[in-house]
Amino acid sequence: MSEESEFQQAVRANIEALGKDAQLKQDTLDWMIRAGGDHNYSYNFSWLGRPIIQYPQDIVGMQELIWKVKPDLVIEMGIAHGGSLILHASMLALLEYCEAAETGSVLDTSQARRRVLGVDIDIRDHNRAAIDAHPMSHRIDMIQGSSIDPDTISQVEAYSRDYSTVLVVLDSNHTHDHVFAELEAYGRLTSVGSYCVVYDTLVEDAPDEYFADRPWGKGNNPKTAVWEFLKSHPEFEIDKEFENKLLITVAPDGFLRRLA
Ligand SMILES: C[S@@+](CC[C@H](N)C(=O)[O-])C[C@H]1O[C@@H](n2cnc3c(N)ncnc32)[C@H](O)[C@@H]1O
């Protein structure tokens, strides 16, 4: 066995052991709830200058997913300050850079074939202006509207028709009904072999008092929506290995891989 294969085998064993370490999982959850719930830890980061409301582990996780899937379109519900759109756009730009390097061709940045489509019910003027002014903006398009509005759904569907490898990210309103409706609307746009990432499934695992001022909480959140969706969508499965590898993630049971 090559050294590389041996290393990969050791990593897989690490991940399997992590997945079985109930105490470490509980300690991680306790830490995340304190850091996120008491200190808004996920607000502390930016990607290429734009605030991104994610944990660093999930940002690295997205990098791995984009490298593995090599999507030509990332669709995301929930823009906020735009950091996650810039993250996805920058990863797609790197894919094009790597393709050019591999084929010895000149990278034409004006082409921006791989694109990001973001949807938000309220794209604040200052956020839109900052996203538009960013060097990655030429591969980003945005739609303002509720992600579950039929008009938004048809616009996203029409946009996605020109793309063959699509990765979907759901990070908007975190109630059960909303996320379930998003899964029904956008899950099917996920290409076979790609992922539909559902963020903030962690709400189900946190004490209710952390979401007292929110419309979501235990029993009514993205994780319960995923569970209901999977009952009638065997074409998706939860990628537990991915979640176990990250350990620190706001998306437990939220990395949905499309199988068929
Ligand atoms: C958690 S933030 C998104 C964070 C962003 N994805 C990031 O990683 O930086 C949630 C966003 O969802 C938006 N939102 C809330 N309800 C929505 C809806 N019905 N449709 C679309 N977006 C919605 C909010 O305006 C807010 O900007």
Side-chain angles (χ1 to χ4, degrees), residues 51-54 76-85 88 119-124 145-148 169 171-174 178 182 199-200:
I52 181 168
I53 307 175
Q54 299 296 346
E76 178 165 41
M77 302 300 135
I79 295 173
H81 304 268
S84 54
L85 294 188
H88 305 143
V119 172
D120 201 294
I121 196 166
D122 178 17
I123 308 174
R124 307 260 164 96
S146 173
S147 53
I148 58 168
V169 181
D171 191 23
S172 69
N173 175 324
H174 301 311
H178 187 87
E182 285 184 331
Y199 279 127
D200 277 4

Side-chain angles (χ1 to χ4, degrees), residues 66-223:
I66 290 179
W67 182 255
K68 176 173 159 180
V69 171
K70 301 198 168 35
D72 52 10
L73 176 63
V74 176
I75 301 172
E76 178 165 41
M77 302 300 135
I79 295 173
H81 304 268
S84 54
L85 294 188
I86 303 291
L87 166 68
H88 305 143
S90 66
M91 282 307 306
L92 298 184
L94 277 176
L95 291 182
E96 290 179 10
Y97 177 94
C98 292
E99 279 163 4
E102 275 166 2
T103 56
S105 52
V106 175
L107 181 64
D108 180 355
T109 53
S110 69
Q111 290 297 313
R113 183 176 66 79
R114 296 174 195 267
R115 303 195 67 80
V116 179
L117 178 63
V119 172
D120 201 294
I121 196 166
D122 178 17
I123 308 174
R124 307 260 164 96
D125 288 346
H126 65 280
N127 287 328
R128 185 188 284 279
I131 295 165
D132 284 344
H134 196 278
M136 283 295 147
S137 69
H138 66 297
R139 64 175 76 236
I140 296 174
D141 292 298
M142 293 181 276
I143 295 172
Q144 178 158 288
S146 173
S147 53
I148 58 168
D149 184 313
D151 185 49
T152 308
I153 296 170
S154 346
Q155 286 185 63
V156 174
E157 265 173 358
Y159 187 105
S160 67
R161 259 177 227 133
D162 293 335
Y163 298 86
S164 58
T165 310
V166 181
L167 190 147
V168 174
V169 181
L170 305 182
D171 191 23
S172 69
N173 175 324
H174 301 311
T175 62
H176 175 102
D177 288 348
H178 187 87
V179 178
F180 185 75
E182 285 184 331
L183 281 163
E184 289 290 358
Y186 304 113
R188 61 199 143 92
L189 302 184
T190 311
S191 325
V192 174
S194 181
Y195 284 76
C196 178
V197 178
V198 185
Y199 279 127
D200 277 4
T201 46
L202 189 77
V203 172
E204 177 66 11
D205 309 323
D208 243 350
E209 61 262 30
Y210 280 99
F211 306 103
D213 59 341
R214 302 288 195 157
W216 48 82
K218 217 175 255 308
N220 171 18
N221 56 66
K223 191 184 270 190

